[in-house]
Amino acid sequence: MKKGKYVMIITLSIVCFLLTLIIFMQFKVAKETKETNIDTMQEAELRQQLANWKTKYEETREKTEEISNTLETYKKESTSDIKTKQALEAEYKTLEQALGKTDVEGEGIIISLREKNENELSEDEFITPIVAEDLIYIVNYLKDAGAEAISINDERIINNTDIVDIGDFVNIKINSNYIRTNNYEIKAIGNSSYLESSIFGKGGYAEQLNISGIKATVQKSNKVRINKYNGEIEKKYIEEVN
Amino acid sequence: MIFIAIIIGCILGALVGINIPTISYTYSSYLAIAIIAALDSVFGGISGTLKGEFNFKVFISGFFCNSLLSILLTYLGNKLNVDIYLAAIVVFVGRMFINLTIIRKYYIEKWTQKFEKLKNNKEKVN
């Protein structure tokens, strides 16, 4: 066989090799293009896909914005709600304190009243029982001296407390409770010096009590505890005027 | 011998082509136009052989040059944003049809002659 023929055969086989190679490569690309693969996608398809994604993106963005706006509104509402709640709670607490519906504690004095024994009496003194009036005076003086909370024998004095004598100076009614005793303990929270001087100062009510055979003693304390008013505060006739 | 070489080349090409990693779609358009150009050369070669005008050098040079030129034209078309490859396809496919016509005519004539020969032989025998 001639040399030229060999060359022709080899060249032809190379040509065939190259032709089938690129044909099969192209087949493969064409096949994969049909399957949605972004690397091998046709331009038009890519454009279409891009447009679709853009629309989707826009829609999603709008939705996100809408949701975040709603969220913002809810947040604002909830913060204002919390604030209102806190303000209301604070107000409620103050009101409860003012009404005497809470246990309180603070600087103050404890006044003890008891009737004197016979041997304790001096010549110009005589025994008179403790009456509601005595207690009213003491409470008023204490209030005048800035007492923030007062209790008599653990009965809290509130704005509609009544202190009255029932019968022949036997019973004293405080907050609808009858107290029948010769010993009274009056607790008051406030500036202890002011409170003390209001009763025990020179010419104070303690002196008058002393003459009446009632022994009044005072005890200052940094921690006077006054219990809350346990009853109901009822309003039957009162109405608010707008 | 030539047929064996052609078959071996084709099988090898097919095997390599199947197993080679997929090329990007961007380059696939170049490959496609190269295939058209190569096929045009092949059909040209066949028709040349049939006409008795086949020249191996012309065939090989045509095969590679046409493929490369078409690839270059496609590339240029992409750069200019003009689909020049369409023009190349029109030319190559048009020539392929012409060559196919030549091949078809050649074989039709050949078979017609054969058929007539057979007919004449039969008549002679009778």
Side-chain angles (χ1 to χ4, degrees), chain B residues 51-73:
Chain B
K51 281 195 240 168
E53 295 166 357
F54 180 73
N55 187 328
F56 188 70
K57 282 171 194 168
V58 174
F59 168 69
I60 293 297
S61 62
F63 183 88
F64 287 106
C65 285
N66 282 353
S67 302
L68 283 175
L69 189 69
S70 56
I71 287 171
L72 281 173
L73 275 174

PDB file of all heavy atoms in Angstrom, chain B residues 51-73:
ATOM      1  N   LYS B  51     -18.342  12.043  -8.991  1.00  0.00           N
ATOM      2  CA  LYS B  51     -18.068  12.695 -10.277  1.00  0.00           C
ATOM      3  C   LYS B  51     -16.662  12.382 -10.787  1.00  0.00           C
ATOM      4  O   LYS B  51     -16.320  12.696 -11.916  1.00  0.00           O
ATOM      5  CB  LYS B  51     -18.210  14.219 -10.120  1.00  0.00           C
ATOM      6  CG  LYS B  51     -19.651  14.691 -10.140  1.00  0.00           C
ATOM      7  CD  LYS B  51     -19.669  16.192 -10.344  1.00  0.00           C
ATOM      8  CE  LYS B  51     -20.350  16.882  -9.181  1.00  0.00           C
ATOM      9  NZ  LYS B  51     -20.157  18.309  -9.174  1.00  0.00           N
ATOM     10  N   GLY B  52     -15.831  11.830  -9.911  1.00  0.00           N
ATOM     11  CA  GLY B  52     -14.451  11.525 -10.262  1.00  0.00           C
ATOM     12  C   GLY B  52     -13.547  12.737 -10.173  1.00  0.00           C
ATOM     13  O   GLY B  52     -12.474  12.785 -10.757  1.00  0.00           O
ATOM     14  N   GLU B  53     -13.994  13.716  -9.410  1.00  0.00           N
ATOM     15  CA  GLU B  53     -13.185  14.941  -9.277  1.00  0.00           C
ATOM     16  C   GLU B  53     -12.620  15.067  -7.861  1.00  0.00           C
ATOM     17  O   GLU B  53     -12.171  16.136  -7.447  1.00  0.00           O
ATOM     18  CB  GLU B  53     -14.068  16.169  -9.539  1.00  0.00           C
ATOM     19  CG  GLU B  53     -14.590  16.257 -10.948  1.00  0.00           C
ATOM     20  CD  GLU B  53     -15.715  17.272 -11.071  1.00  0.00           C
ATOM     21  OE1 GLU B  53     -16.110  17.862 -10.035  1.00  0.00           O
ATOM     22  OE2 GLU B  53     -16.215  17.445 -12.189  1.00  0.00           O
ATOM     23  N   PHE B  54     -12.714  13.989  -7.071  1.00  0.00           N
ATOM     24  CA  PHE B  54     -12.321  14.079  -5.662  1.00  0.00           C
ATOM     25  C   PHE B  54     -10.841  14.375  -5.498  1.00  0.00           C
ATOM     26  O   PHE B  54     -10.003  13.723  -6.105  1.00  0.00           O
ATOM     27  CB  PHE B  54     -12.681  12.790  -4.926  1.00  0.00           C
ATOM     28  CG  PHE B  54     -12.308  12.810  -3.472  1.00  0.00           C
ATOM     29  CD1 PHE B  54     -13.035  13.590  -2.578  1.00  0.00           C
ATOM     30  CD2 PHE B  54     -11.225  12.073  -3.002  1.00  0.00           C
ATOM     31  CE1 PHE B  54     -12.683  13.613  -1.244  1.00  0.00           C
ATOM     32  CE2 PHE B  54     -10.881  12.114  -1.655  1.00  0.00           C
ATOM     33  CZ  PHE B  54     -11.621  12.881  -0.776  1.00  0.00           C
ATOM     34  N   ASN B  55     -10.565  15.375  -4.665  1.00  0.00           N
ATOM     35  CA  ASN B  55      -9.174  15.715  -4.332  1.00  0.00           C
ATOM     36  C   ASN B  55      -9.087  15.714  -2.797  1.00  0.00           C
ATOM     37  O   ASN B  55      -9.778  16.470  -2.126  1.00  0.00           O
ATOM     38  CB  ASN B  55      -8.832  17.096  -4.902  1.00  0.00           C
ATOM     39  CG  ASN B  55      -7.369  17.419  -4.729  1.00  0.00           C
ATOM     40  OD1 ASN B  55      -6.731  16.998  -3.769  1.00  0.00           O
ATOM     41  ND2 ASN B  55      -6.823  18.155  -5.690  1.00  0.00           N
ATOM     42  N   PHE B  56      -8.252  14.820  -2.286  1.00  0.00           N
ATOM     43  CA  PHE B  56      -8.153  14.635  -0.846  1.00  0.00           C
ATOM     44  C   PHE B  56      -7.756  15.915  -0.118  1.00  0.00           C
ATOM     45  O   PHE B  56      -8.325  16.271   0.920  1.00  0.00           O
ATOM     46  CB  PHE B  56      -7.156  13.506  -0.542  1.00  0.00           C
ATOM     47  CG  PHE B  56      -7.151  13.133   0.912  1.00  0.00           C
ATOM     48  CD1 PHE B  56      -8.241  12.483   1.486  1.00  0.00           C
ATOM     49  CD2 PHE B  56      -6.062  13.436   1.720  1.00  0.00           C
ATOM     50  CE1 PHE B  56      -8.239  12.159   2.833  1.00  0.00           C
ATOM     51  CE2 PHE B  56      -6.063  13.109   3.066  1.00  0.00           C
ATOM     52  CZ  PHE B  56      -7.154  12.456   3.627  1.00  0.00           C
ATOM     53  N   LYS B  57      -6.745  16.614  -0.712  1.00  0.00           N
ATOM     54  CA  LYS B  57      -6.259  17.841  -0.067  1.00  0.00           C
ATOM     55  C   LYS B  57      -7.377  18.901  -0.003  1.00  0.00           C
ATOM     56  O   LYS B  57      -7.551  19.592   1.017  1.00  0.00           O
ATOM     57  CB  LYS B  57      -5.062  18.392  -0.824  1.00  0.00           C
ATOM     58  CG  LYS B  57      -3.789  17.642  -0.519  1.00  0.00           C
ATOM     59  CD  LYS B  57      -2.683  18.057  -1.436  1.00  0.00           C
ATOM     60  CE  LYS B  57      -1.537  17.071  -1.337  1.00  0.00           C
ATOM     61  NZ  LYS B  57      -0.558  17.273  -2.411  1.00  0.00           N
ATOM     62  N   VAL B  58      -8.087  18.980  -1.129  1.00  0.00           N
ATOM     63  CA  VAL B  58      -9.190  19.960  -1.159  1.00  0.00           C
ATOM     64  C   VAL B  58     -10.242  19.596  -0.108  1.00  0.00           C
ATOM     65  O   VAL B  58     -10.746  20.456   0.637  1.00  0.00           O
ATOM     66  CB  VAL B  58      -9.831  20.005  -2.571  1.00  0.00           C
ATOM     67  CG1 VAL B  58     -11.079  20.901  -2.571  1.00  0.00           C
ATOM     68  CG2 VAL B  58      -8.833  20.510  -3.584  1.00  0.00           C
ATOM     69  N   PHE B  59     -10.522  18.266   0.004  1.00  0.00           N
ATOM     70  CA  PHE B  59     -11.524  17.803   0.959  1.00  0.00           C
ATOM     71  C   PHE B  59     -11.122  18.145   2.398  1.00  0.00           C
ATOM     72  O   PHE B  59     -11.903  18.739   3.173  1.00  0.00           O
ATOM     73  CB  PHE B  59     -11.711  16.287   0.804  1.00  0.00           C
ATOM     74  CG  PHE B  59     -12.504  15.669   1.919  1.00  0.00           C
ATOM     75  CD1 PHE B  59     -13.867  15.927   2.064  1.00  0.00           C
ATOM     76  CD2 PHE B  59     -11.886  14.826   2.847  1.00  0.00           C
ATOM     77  CE1 PHE B  59     -14.583  15.362   3.099  1.00  0.00           C
ATOM     78  CE2 PHE B  59     -12.605  14.257   3.883  1.00  0.00           C
ATOM     79  CZ  PHE B  59     -13.959  14.525   4.011  1.00  0.00           C
ATOM     80  N   ILE B  60      -9.884  17.777   2.751  1.00  0.00           N
ATOM     81  CA  ILE B  60      -9.419  18.022   4.139  1.00  0.00           C
ATOM     82  C   ILE B  60      -9.373  19.512   4.450  1.00  0.00           C
ATOM     83  O   ILE B  60      -9.864  19.961   5.501  1.00  0.00           O
ATOM     84  CB  ILE B  60      -8.027  17.374   4.362  1.00  0.00           C
ATOM     85  CG1 ILE B  60      -8.136  15.869   4.314  1.00  0.00           C
ATOM     86  CG2 ILE B  60      -7.414  17.831   5.681  1.00  0.00           C
ATOM     87  CD1 ILE B  60      -9.004  15.263   5.406  1.00  0.00           C
ATOM     88  N   SER B  61      -8.790  20.255   3.505  1.00  0.00           N
ATOM     89  CA  SER B  61      -8.690  21.700   3.762  1.00  0.00           C
ATOM     90  C   SER B  61     -10.087  22.320   3.868  1.00  0.00           C
ATOM     91  O   SER B  61     -10.340  23.169   4.741  1.00  0.00           O
ATOM     92  CB  SER B  61      -7.858  22.386   2.676  1.00  0.00           C
ATOM     93  OG  SER B  61      -8.506  22.219   1.427  1.00  0.00           O
ATOM     94  N   GLY B  62     -10.982  21.857   3.000  1.00  0.00           N
ATOM     95  CA  GLY B  62     -12.369  22.357   3.025  1.00  0.00           C
ATOM     96  C   GLY B  62     -13.040  22.025   4.358  1.00  0.00           C
ATOM     97  O   GLY B  62     -13.718  22.865   4.954  1.00  0.00           O
ATOM     98  N   PHE B  63     -12.811  20.789   4.819  1.00  0.00           N
ATOM     99  CA  PHE B  63     -13.422  20.328   6.081  1.00  0.00           C
ATOM    100  C   PHE B  63     -13.048  21.247   7.242  1.00  0.00           C
ATOM    101  O   PHE B  63     -13.907  21.747   7.976  1.00  0.00           O
ATOM    102  CB  PHE B  63     -12.941  18.886   6.358  1.00  0.00           C
ATOM    103  CG  PHE B  63     -13.546  18.271   7.587  1.00  0.00           C
ATOM    104  CD1 PHE B  63     -14.747  17.585   7.514  1.00  0.00           C
ATOM    105  CD2 PHE B  63     -12.905  18.354   8.815  1.00  0.00           C
ATOM    106  CE1 PHE B  63     -15.294  17.009   8.649  1.00  0.00           C
ATOM    107  CE2 PHE B  63     -13.433  17.782   9.947  1.00  0.00           C
ATOM    108  CZ  PHE B  63     -14.636  17.096   9.868  1.00  0.00           C
ATOM    109  N   PHE B  64     -11.727  21.452   7.387  1.00  0.00           N
ATOM    110  CA  PHE B  64     -11.269  22.244   8.539  1.00  0.00           C
ATOM    111  C   PHE B  64     -11.516  23.745   8.353  1.00  0.00           C
ATOM    112  O   PHE B  64     -11.960  24.421   9.278  1.00  0.00           O
ATOM    113  CB  PHE B  64      -9.796  21.958   8.831  1.00  0.00           C
ATOM    114  CG  PHE B  64      -9.586  20.596   9.437  1.00  0.00           C
ATOM    115  CD1 PHE B  64      -9.036  19.565   8.691  1.00  0.00           C
ATOM    116  CD2 PHE B  64      -9.970  20.341  10.739  1.00  0.00           C
ATOM    117  CE1 PHE B  64      -8.856  18.306   9.249  1.00  0.00           C
ATOM    118  CE2 PHE B  64      -9.788  19.076  11.300  1.00  0.00           C
ATOM    119  CZ  PHE B  64      -9.242  18.062  10.561  1.00  0.00           C
ATOM    120  N   CYS B  65     -11.171  24.205   7.106  1.00  0.00           N
ATOM    121  CA  CYS B  65     -11.305  25.656   6.873  1.00  0.00           C
ATOM    122  C   CYS B  65     -12.748  26.128   6.973  1.00  0.00           C
ATOM    123  O   CYS B  65     -13.025  27.161   7.598  1.00  0.00           O
ATOM    124  CB  CYS B  65     -10.739  26.038   5.511  1.00  0.00           C
ATOM    125  SG  CYS B  65      -8.953  26.019   5.526  1.00  0.00           S
ATOM    126  N   ASN B  66     -13.661  25.333   6.367  1.00  0.00           N
ATOM    127  CA  ASN B  66     -15.083  25.726   6.426  1.00  0.00           C
ATOM    128  C   ASN B  66     -15.582  25.753   7.871  1.00  0.00           C
ATOM    129  O   ASN B  66     -16.293  26.695   8.268  1.00  0.00           O
ATOM    130  CB  ASN B  66     -15.939  24.753   5.608  1.00  0.00           C
ATOM    131  CG  ASN B  66     -15.844  25.043   4.121  1.00  0.00           C
ATOM    132  OD1 ASN B  66     -15.249  26.038   3.717  1.00  0.00           O
ATOM    133  ND2 ASN B  66     -16.397  24.157   3.295  1.00  0.00           N
ATOM    134  N   SER B  67     -15.196  24.718   8.630  1.00  0.00           N
ATOM    135  CA  SER B  67     -15.630  24.660  10.046  1.00  0.00           C
ATOM    136  C   SER B  67     -15.115  25.881  10.802  1.00  0.00           C
ATOM    137  O   SER B  67     -15.882  26.567  11.500  1.00  0.00           O
ATOM    138  CB  SER B  67     -15.115  23.387  10.723  1.00  0.00           C
ATOM    139  OG  SER B  67     -15.575  22.272  10.020  1.00  0.00           O
ATOM    140  N   LEU B  68     -13.815  26.120  10.664  1.00  0.00           N
ATOM    141  CA  LEU B  68     -13.208  27.235  11.404  1.00  0.00           C
ATOM    142  C   LEU B  68     -13.806  28.570  10.980  1.00  0.00           C
ATOM    143  O   LEU B  68     -14.108  29.421  11.825  1.00  0.00           O
ATOM    144  CB  LEU B  68     -11.683  27.240  11.190  1.00  0.00           C
ATOM    145  CG  LEU B  68     -10.915  26.195  11.999  1.00  0.00           C
ATOM    146  CD1 LEU B  68      -9.445  26.201  11.613  1.00  0.00           C
ATOM    147  CD2 LEU B  68     -11.056  26.480  13.499  1.00  0.00           C
ATOM    148  N   LEU B  69     -13.956  28.712   9.666  1.00  0.00           N
ATOM    149  CA  LEU B  69     -14.491  29.975   9.157  1.00  0.00           C
ATOM    150  C   LEU B  69     -15.917  30.210   9.670  1.00  0.00           C
ATOM    151  O   LEU B  69     -16.275  31.324  10.079  1.00  0.00           O
ATOM    152  CB  LEU B  69     -14.483  29.951   7.624  1.00  0.00           C
ATOM    153  CG  LEU B  69     -14.805  31.290   6.957  1.00  0.00           C
ATOM    154  CD1 LEU B  69     -13.669  32.277   7.196  1.00  0.00           C
ATOM    155  CD2 LEU B  69     -15.017  31.110   5.447  1.00  0.00           C
ATOM    156  N   SER B  70     -16.704  29.142   9.661  1.00  0.00           N
ATOM    157  CA  SER B  70     -18.085  29.304  10.149  1.00  0.00           C
ATOM    158  C   SER B  70     -18.104  29.659  11.639  1.00  0.00           C
ATOM    159  O   SER B  70     -18.910  30.489  12.089  1.00  0.00           O
ATOM    160  CB  SER B  70     -18.890  28.039   9.885  1.00  0.00           C
ATOM    161  OG  SER B  70     -18.256  26.939  10.473  1.00  0.00           O
ATOM    162  N   ILE B  71     -17.185  29.016  12.381  1.00  0.00           N
ATOM    163  CA  ILE B  71     -17.098  29.352  13.828  1.00  0.00           C
ATOM    164  C   ILE B  71     -16.723  30.826  13.994  1.00  0.00           C
ATOM    165  O   ILE B  71     -17.330  31.555  14.801  1.00  0.00           O
ATOM    166  CB  ILE B  71     -16.067  28.437  14.538  1.00  0.00           C
ATOM    167  CG1 ILE B  71     -16.648  27.027  14.670  1.00  0.00           C
ATOM    168  CG2 ILE B  71     -15.699  28.977  15.913  1.00  0.00           C
ATOM    169  CD1 ILE B  71     -15.666  25.995  15.142  1.00  0.00           C
ATOM    170  N   LEU B  72     -15.732  31.248  13.217  1.00  0.00           N
ATOM    171  CA  LEU B  72     -15.286  32.647  13.301  1.00  0.00           C
ATOM    172  C   LEU B  72     -16.405  33.604  12.920  1.00  0.00           C
ATOM    173  O   LEU B  72     -16.599  34.635  13.577  1.00  0.00           O
ATOM    174  CB  LEU B  72     -14.079  32.866  12.377  1.00  0.00           C
ATOM    175  CG  LEU B  72     -12.749  32.376  12.920  1.00  0.00           C
ATOM    176  CD1 LEU B  72     -11.663  32.498  11.863  1.00  0.00           C
ATOM    177  CD2 LEU B  72     -12.352  33.157  14.164  1.00  0.00           C
ATOM    178  N   LEU B  73     -17.140  33.225  11.863  1.00  0.00           N
ATOM    179  CA  LEU B  73     -18.260  34.076  11.432  1.00  0.00           C
ATOM    180  C   LEU B  73     -19.321  34.177  12.535  1.00  0.00           C
ATOM    181  O   LEU B  73     -19.868  35.257  12.796  1.00  0.00           O
ATOM    182  CB  LEU B  73     -18.901  33.507  10.161  1.00  0.00           C
ATOM    183  CG  LEU B  73     -18.251  33.916   8.843  1.00  0.00           C
ATOM    184  CD1 LEU B  73     -18.897  33.164   7.679  1.00  0.00           C
ATOM    185  CD2 LEU B  73     -18.415  35.424   8.612  1.00  0.00           C
TER     186      LEU B  73
END
